[in-house]
Amino acid sequence: MNQLLSLRLFKEMSELQKVLDAKIKKREGIEYLPLQRIKSQITMESAECINNMKGDFKYWSQKPALVKELLEEFIDVLHFYISYTNHRLEYELADEKQAGEPPLPWQTLEHDYMELVEEYKNAVYLMKEKLIHDAADIVLETPNPKQKVAYLFYIVAHYGLTERDIWAAYQEKNKINHDGIVIPDEVFN
């Protein structure tokens, strides 16, 4: 996965997501984004991503994959996954602080990234003798967000998409997301 998303870009995306989530929280007048709802969005966007595989997933279809649309939906998944990761770490660290405990070694973005890389390597290994629709089945069936994203990275790589493609699409979608959030106070100033 290192060629698909470096730690540097993962961290940069995390910082961009924190800014976007802060804007969403401000607009909605909330302090916390519920992890289960973010996790549900990962599942929904994953299904939309898989749907764009067309005939590579749907046994009844002869249509070619819609790679541009697949990438767009994958970027939505990535936005939600990074939001989920940021908030999960934030909540865990707050719990440790409240308990007077130091952070645990795995409560870092770097550790989460390394786990994602390991999940991706596992996906590559397990998919050696299988077809691409098998990876899609795993994405749809697993409740584990990290495993969903790792197998989606595998699918994205299958279609020849690169870190450069992912980063460009992420930046474009991030701008669209920011442009779509209007905070009422800003409207009247």
Side-chain angles (χ1 to χ4, degrees):
M1 186 174 105
N2 293 337
Q3 75 276 9
L4 285 177
L5 188 65
S6 66
L7 175 59
R8 180 186 64 78
L9 279 185
F10 188 72
K11 286 180 172 181
E12 195 162 338
M13 289 174 176
S14 173
E15 291 306 313
L16 291 171
Q17 191 63 44
K18 286 177 184 176
V19 172
L20 180 63
D21 286 343
K23 201 171 178 180
I24 291 168
K25 288 176 189 176
K26 182 176 180 180
R27 181 192 66 194
E28 297 301 319
I30 58 176
E31 274 187 59
Y32 300 101
L33 293 177
L35 289 179
Q36 187 55 48
R37 290 194 62 200
I38 300 170
K39 193 174 171 183
S40 294
Q41 293 304 310
I42 293 169
T43 298
M44 186 187 77
E45 295 295 341
S46 295
E48 291 179 17
C49 186
I50 297 300
N51 189 49
N52 286 300
M53 290 173 66
K54 300 298 179 193
D56 289 345
F57 177 66
K58 300 172 182 178
Y59 61 86
W60 65 90
S61 176
Q62 297 297 310
K63 294 178 184 176
L66 302 173
V67 177
K68 181 180 181 283
E69 291 82 355
L70 183 141
L71 176 60
E72 289 171 5
E73 296 301 338
F74 174 69
I75 296 306
D76 287 343
V77 172
L78 211 47
H79 269 279
F80 284 113
Y81 176 74
I82 292 171
S83 179
Y84 176 83
T85 300
N86 285 344
H87 286 89
R88 183 182 49 76
L89 290 171
E90 177 188 331
Y91 301 159
E92 286 175 2
L93 291 171
D95 288 347
E96 295 298 323
K97 186 175 182 179
Q98 187 175 10
E101 299 289 330
L104 299 168
W106 60 83
Q107 292 173 320
T108 66
L109 193 62
E110 293 82 0
H111 188 272
D112 191 85
Y113 172 81
M114 294 311 297
E115 285 182 337
L116 184 58
V117 169
E118 288 305 311
E119 282 285 351
Y120 174 73
K121 289 177 182 176
N122 189 44
V124 169
Y125 176 76
L126 293 174
M127 294 307 299
K128 282 183 181 178
E129 310 265 333
K130 298 190 179 193
L131 300 173
I132 194 65
H133 68 80
D134 294 318
D137 288 337
I138 292 169
V139 169
L140 295 174
E141 292 170 6
T142 184
N144 181 328
K146 196 172 292 168
Q147 191 175 42
K148 278 185 191 302
V149 172
Y151 276 86
L152 284 171
F153 267 112
Y154 178 84
I155 291 168
V156 164
H158 172 81
Y159 290 108
L161 296 166
T162 66
E163 180 180 60
R164 178 174 283 159
D165 299 323
I166 293 167
W167 179 233
Y170 191 91
Q171 289 176 301
E172 183 179 331
K173 182 64 178 194
N174 192 59
K175 182 181 180 337
I176 290 167
N177 288 345
H178 276 281
D179 290 348
I181 298 172
V182 177
I183 301 173
D185 293 341
E186 292 177 355
V187 173
F188 300 110
N189 287 335

